Protein backbone atom coordinates (compact mmCIF):
# COMPACT_ATOMS: atom_id res chain seq x y z
CA UNK A 1 0.00 0.00 0.00
CA UNK A 2 1.23 3.47 -0.90
CA UNK A 3 -0.32 6.64 0.52
CA UNK A 4 0.64 10.15 -0.51
CA UNK A 5 0.03 13.29 1.54
CA UNK A 6 0.21 16.92 0.46
CA UNK A 7 1.93 19.08 3.11
CA UNK A 8 3.17 22.61 3.66
CA UNK A 9 6.68 21.49 4.70
CA UNK A 10 9.04 23.82 2.84
CA UNK A 11 12.48 23.23 4.29
CA UNK A 12 14.78 20.26 4.05
CA UNK A 13 15.59 20.60 7.76
CA UNK A 14 11.92 20.35 8.78
CA UNK A 15 11.35 17.47 6.37
CA UNK A 16 14.22 15.55 7.98
CA UNK A 17 12.79 16.19 11.47
CA UNK A 18 9.37 14.95 10.35
CA UNK A 19 10.91 11.89 8.68
CA UNK A 20 12.83 11.00 11.86
CA UNK A 21 9.67 11.38 13.95
CA UNK A 22 7.55 9.29 11.58
CA UNK A 23 10.20 6.57 11.19
CA UNK A 24 10.25 6.15 14.98
CA UNK A 25 6.44 5.94 15.08
CA UNK A 26 6.18 3.71 11.99
CA UNK A 27 9.42 1.71 11.58
CA UNK A 28 7.70 -0.72 9.21
CA UNK A 29 7.03 2.01 6.61
CA UNK A 30 9.24 3.40 3.86
CA UNK A 31 8.75 7.17 4.12
CA UNK A 32 10.13 10.05 2.05
CA UNK A 33 9.47 13.69 1.16
CA UNK A 34 9.41 15.32 -2.24
CA UNK A 35 9.88 19.05 -1.67
CA UNK A 36 8.20 21.10 -4.40
CA UNK A 37 8.42 24.69 -5.59
CA UNK A 38 6.87 27.10 -3.09
CA UNK A 39 6.33 30.19 -5.24
CA UNK A 40 2.61 29.86 -4.51
CA UNK A 41 0.88 29.49 -1.12
CA UNK A 42 -0.31 26.09 0.15
CA UNK A 43 -2.01 24.07 -1.31
CA UNK A 44 -0.73 25.15 -4.74
CA UNK A 45 2.82 25.30 -3.37
CA UNK A 46 3.32 22.08 -1.46
CA UNK A 47 5.48 19.08 -0.68
CA UNK A 48 4.55 15.43 -0.96
CA UNK A 49 5.00 12.90 1.83
CA UNK A 50 4.99 9.31 0.57
CA UNK A 51 4.43 6.35 2.89
CA UNK A 52 4.71 2.75 1.72
CA UNK A 53 4.05 -0.43 3.66
CA UNK A 54 1.63 -3.24 4.32
CA UNK A 55 -0.67 -0.88 6.27
CA UNK A 56 -0.54 2.93 6.46
CA UNK A 57 -2.65 4.56 9.18
CA UNK A 58 -3.49 7.70 7.23
CA UNK A 59 -5.71 9.25 9.91
CA UNK A 60 -3.02 8.91 12.58
CA UNK A 61 -0.32 10.39 10.33
CA UNK A 62 -2.49 13.39 9.40
CA UNK A 63 -3.37 13.97 13.06
CA UNK A 64 0.25 13.68 14.25
CA UNK A 65 1.47 16.14 11.64
CA UNK A 66 -1.36 18.58 12.34
CA UNK A 67 -0.50 18.38 16.06
CA UNK A 68 3.02 19.52 15.08
CA UNK A 69 1.63 22.49 13.15
CA UNK A 70 2.02 20.91 9.71
CA UNK A 71 -0.78 21.23 7.16
CA UNK A 72 -1.35 17.76 5.80
CA UNK A 73 -3.97 16.26 3.52
CA UNK A 74 -4.27 12.77 2.09
CA UNK A 75 -4.06 12.82 -1.69
CA UNK A 76 -7.12 10.93 -2.87
CA UNK A 77 -7.04 8.29 -5.56
CA UNK A 78 -8.95 9.35 -8.64
CA UNK A 79 -9.93 6.88 -11.29
CA UNK A 80 -10.45 8.37 -14.71
CA UNK A 81 -12.70 6.64 -17.19
Amino acid sequence: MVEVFMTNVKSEILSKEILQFLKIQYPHLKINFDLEDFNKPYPCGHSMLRCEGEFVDTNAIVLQLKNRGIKCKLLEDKICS
Side-chain angles (χ1 to χ4, degrees):
M1 165 181 275
V2 175
E3 297 290 357
V4 180
F5 304 85
M6 185 169 55
T7 78
N8 68 334
V9 174
K10 295 181 182 182
S11 76
E12 192 170 333
I13 293 170
L14 181 57
S15 70
K16 287 179 182 181
E17 289 174 11
I18 297 296
L19 286 175
Q20 286 177 340
F21 168 76
L22 290 175
K23 287 179 180 184
I24 290 169
Q25 300 296 314
Y26 306 100
H28 59 284
L29 296 180
K30 289 173 50 178
I31 306 170
N32 61 54
F33 261 107
D34 182 13
L35 299 177
E36 298 287 329
D37 184 17
F38 281 94
N39 290 330
K40 298 179 182 177
Y42 177 86
C44 293
H46 60 272
S47 57
M48 304 303 271
L49 172 66
R50 183 178 180 274
C51 300
E52 182 179 350
E54 194 170 315
F55 173 74
V56 180
D57 190 345
T58 57
N59 292 326
I61 290 171
V62 169
L63 184 61
Q64 289 173 327
L65 291 181
K66 285 185 176 181
N67 286 341
R68 293 175 145 256
I70 305 297
K71 291 181 182 176
C72 179
K73 179 180 175 184
L74 179 64
L75 204 59
E76 296 183 27
D77 289 336
K78 295 200 178 186
I79 299 174
C80 299
S81 55

